[in-house]
Amino acid sequence: MGRSLVTELDPDAVFNRLLEVARELTGARYAAIGVLDERRERLERFLTAGIPEDVHRAIGDLPRGRGVLGVLITDPKPLRLADVGSHPQSYGFPLAHPAMTTFLGVPLIIEGQAWGNLYLTEKDGGEEFSEEDEQAVVVLADWAAIAIRNARLYRTVRERRDELERTMRGLETTTEISRALGGVTDLGRVLELVVKRSRALIDARAAEISLREGDEYVLAAVAGEHGDDGGDRIVAPMVFRNREVGTLTVIDRLHGDRPFNEEDERLLQAFAASAATAVATAQNASEEALRRSIEASEAERTRWSRELHDDTLQQLAGLRMLLSGARRSGDADRMSGAIEQALEQITTAVGDLRSLITELRPAALDELGITPALESLVARFVRQTDLETELDVAFAEPRFAPEIESTVYRLVQEALTNIAKHARADRVSVRLRDRDGDIDLIVRDDGAGFDPQHRSSGFGLIGMRERLALVNGTLHVESSPGAGTVLRASIPVRRSHAAAVA
């Protein structure tokens, strides 16, 4: 039951499922969730289950946390009552409210702070809620807290991912410009590259750059074919150090009839900001921003790895709740079924945790080094895909600087992921060598291949290039439809401190 809560990613679905499970688990006729306001003094939301809609309407305004409900707000700990009406702080019920006697309330604690309360009333048969009911609901509330936290985090992560994907599309182009313009001082070459890249980025029929000369703007570079002056267009200013150096304009959609939208405008504006730096100085200032972005991603992966470990205890508590309920029933068939279900859940949970934790941050990479980590990665890849895969690693030293090892591991991981998803290959080989001050990586497959010049909207090659740029590495891809793919990467070597001392 708790596992089904945690898998929900919509907060309202979590609430409805929590009410349903709580009633089923305790035999309560009515259940409710009260959500606290920001000051944690009153209830800002009150969701119920078991009360018919017409009765709900007749009751009128929903509770705000007075009376017995307020006890759990001021003192957030479980409260079990044989007769809620006899409590000293009982406030009574509205005229249309159904009769309620027995009561069980449990706080919902998220990250150490009271977030709301779960209320249950009217146990089947007029019985009082038992201590076992209370323990079961406390465990359920812990599961619900995890589910609510996950749902809120999922929404945040999804929003961040959408924003990151849009940013990465722009960063791919700006980073390529930065690499291509390193040391270039010919303004004509700079303008040519910027205008061509902006046209491809927005999928525009034409693009142009106008440079500011005094109070006038002079057309300086054009890519594509112009149509009439009445076409659809986006104009983005190019500003460097608070000084406008010109404008970047894209005109009409090249493929399809979809007009430009707000996302296109934001993307072009971001690109124009970087292009202004290239035009004014032939340098790109995005490297540090890229480093922070990827370091933040790695930190998030490590944090999730730690939190997933912690949640294992909650899974065990859920199993205890499942088995305890079966034992109380006294039904041998139910007990047998619960044991089988528990074994399946344990096996699934262990496998899921091991896979997720390894993908987020492989322990072997930190503890043993790049070679054992890659061996484990390739072994999992073979088990999952059943592809014939060869790993050939020959390093003169066992360890490298952490950022080098992380980059090599993520490159191989991304390459294998792309092969599994897209290549339709039969054989894969991964070869790494350490010589002449560089790590040389070659990943080869005999799959369907692709056109490397085709711009991808995903992370794949974009992410590889960004990672390599941060360690001054290079990437070269050889592929064509039907001819397989060869990925070659070269990374300057930096030994770890421990390896250097040894």
Side-chain angles (χ1 to χ4, degrees):
M1 293 181 181
R3 188 177 180 85
S4 68
L5 270 176
V6 174
T7 58
E8 291 286 357
L9 294 177
D10 176 66
D12 287 338
V14 172
F15 298 152
N16 292 332
R17 181 59 178 152
L18 173 59
L19 293 171
E20 174 188 336
V21 172
R23 292 177 65 198
E24 179 182 345
L25 189 65
T26 62
R29 183 176 182 183
Y30 306 111
I33 296 174
V35 180
L36 296 176
D37 60 15
E38 291 185 0
R39 300 178 63 180
R40 295 181 175 83
E41 296 177 352
R42 304 181 63 188
L43 300 176
E44 68 175 12
R45 292 188 68 188
F46 195 81
L47 301 89
T48 65
I51 298 179
E53 187 61 31
D54 57 337
V55 176
H56 218 301
R57 288 194 298 268
I59 292 175
D61 293 340
L62 295 176
R64 291 293 179 229
R66 293 181 294 182
V68 175
L69 300 187
V71 174
L72 271 81
I73 297 177
T74 57
D75 187 16
K77 60 185 180 182
L79 177 63
R80 183 158 42 96
L81 301 173
D83 182 2
V84 66
S86 65
H87 191 277
Q89 294 192 33
S90 175
Y91 199 77
F93 297 106
L95 292 177
H97 201 285
M100 295 183 180
T101 304
T102 56
F103 175 89
L104 174 59
V106 173
L108 295 171
I109 307 296
I110 298 179
E111 298 179 344
Q113 292 187 322
W115 181 86
N117 299 301
L118 173 61
Y119 309 107
L120 301 165
T121 62
E122 295 301 286
K123 185 176 176 65
D124 287 341
E127 300 179 3
E128 297 181 23
F129 290 103
S130 66
E131 183 176 351
E132 287 189 339
D133 290 329
E134 180 179 321
Q135 292 176 354
V137 174
V138 167
V139 171
L140 183 63
D142 289 340
W143 276 97
I146 294 173
I148 294 167
R149 183 187 64 188
N150 286 351
R152 293 162 69 187
L153 180 61
Y154 171 77
R155 181 168 56 193
T156 301
V157 169
R158 183 177 56 190
E159 292 171 354
R160 289 179 179 174
R161 180 182 176 86
D162 290 344
E163 182 64 27
L164 178 60
E165 186 164 4
R166 288 193 297 268
T167 303
M168 289 295 286
R169 288 175 57 196
L171 288 177
E172 179 195 25
T173 304
T174 56
T175 302
E176 288 183 358
I177 287 178
S178 179
R179 287 199 295 266
L181 295 178
V184 176
T185 57
D186 181 358
L187 181 59
R189 176 73 182 107
V190 173
L191 295 174
E192 178 187 2
L193 184 58
V194 169
V195 76
K196 286 182 177 179
R197 291 296 184 184
S198 63
R199 179 187 177 223
L201 181 67
I202 307 298
D203 188 30
R205 179 173 53 80
E208 63 183 33
I209 293 176
S210 295
L211 296 182
R212 184 171 183 174
E213 295 184 4
D215 294 332
E216 298 181 352
Y217 290 86
V218 178
L219 184 64
V222 176
E225 299 180 359
H226 282 263
D228 56 50
D229 293 336
D232 187 19
R233 62 179 59 209
I234 304 174
V235 180
M238 297 193 300
V239 179
F240 177 69
R241 294 181 180 175
N242 298 320
R243 178 175 63 88
E244 186 174 345
V245 298
T247 59
L248 176 60
T249 304
V250 292
I251 304 166
D252 293 333
R253 185 78 66 183
L254 180 60
H255 299 103
D257 56 2
R258 182 174 63 88
F260 295 133
N261 55 31
E262 291 184 0
E263 181 179 345
D264 295 320
E265 185 174 353
R266 286 194 299 268
L267 194 58
L268 187 66
Q269 288 174 347
F271 176 75
S274 295
T277 304
V279 170
T281 67
Q283 297 175 350
N284 185 281
S286 65
E287 181 173 295
E288 185 59 30
L290 286 173
R291 187 186 302 277
R292 287 197 301 268
S293 176
I294 292 181
E295 286 177 351
S297 177
E298 289 296 317
E300 186 73 5
R301 288 171 182 258
T302 301
R303 185 177 69 83
W304 267 105
S305 179
R306 182 176 63 252
E307 291 189 359
L308 285 171
H309 271 299
D310 294 342
D311 288 348
T312 302
L313 293 177
Q314 296 295 337
Q315 290 181 321
L316 292 175
L319 291 175
R320 177 184 179 279
M321 185 169 62
L322 170 68
L323 295 174
S324 176
R327 184 182 65 183
R328 288 199 305 271
S329 72
D331 187 330
D333 290 338
R334 181 177 175 182
M335 176 63 75
S336 176
I339 292 174
E340 291 296 323
Q341 185 179 352
L343 290 173
E344 292 178 3
Q345 290 184 8
I346 291 172
T347 301
T348 300
V350 169
D352 290 346
L353 282 172
R354 183 178 292 114
S355 298
L356 282 172
I357 292 169
T358 301
E359 289 177 6
L360 288 169
R361 183 68 185 181
L365 184 61
D366 295 324
E367 297 171 4
L368 303 177
I370 185 63
T371 301
L374 289 175
E375 290 171 348
S376 177
L377 174 64
V378 170
R380 289 198 308 276
F381 174 79
V382 171
R383 289 195 300 269
Q384 294 168 357
T385 64
D386 203 30
L387 293 180
E388 180 181 338
T389 306
E390 176 188 5
L391 174 64
D392 180 9
V393 181
F395 288 148
E397 297 289 342
R399 299 304 300 260
F400 301 92
E403 63 270 24
I404 299 297
E405 291 186 342
S406 178
T407 297
V408 171
Y409 184 89
R410 296 301 182 195
L411 286 176
V412 176
Q413 184 183 46
E414 185 63 38
L416 294 180
T417 298
N418 289 341
I419 291 171
K421 289 183 178 180
H422 308 299
R424 303 193 298 277
D426 295 318
R427 290 182 296 278
V428 180
S429 68
V430 180
R431 182 176 183 271
L432 291 109
R433 292 291 184 271
D434 166 23
R435 56 190 174 191
D436 299 328
D438 289 335
I439 293 177
D440 294 327
L441 165 65
I442 300 177
V443 181
R444 187 188 307 268
D445 71 75
D446 64 351
F450 65 101
D451 181 4
Q453 301 303 317
H454 177 69
R455 179 172 61 87
S456 171
S457 60
F459 285 102
L461 294 177
I462 299 174
M464 292 183 186
R465 290 192 174 100
E466 301 298 346
R467 287 187 179 277
L468 284 166
L470 295 179
V471 292
N472 299 316
T474 60
L475 177 68
H476 181 66
V477 179
E478 301 171 6
S479 185
S480 61
T485 300
V486 179
L487 182 150
R488 303 178 190 272
S490 180
I491 304 171
V493 171
R494 293 199 297 277
R495 302 290 179 192
S496 69
H497 177 71
V501 172

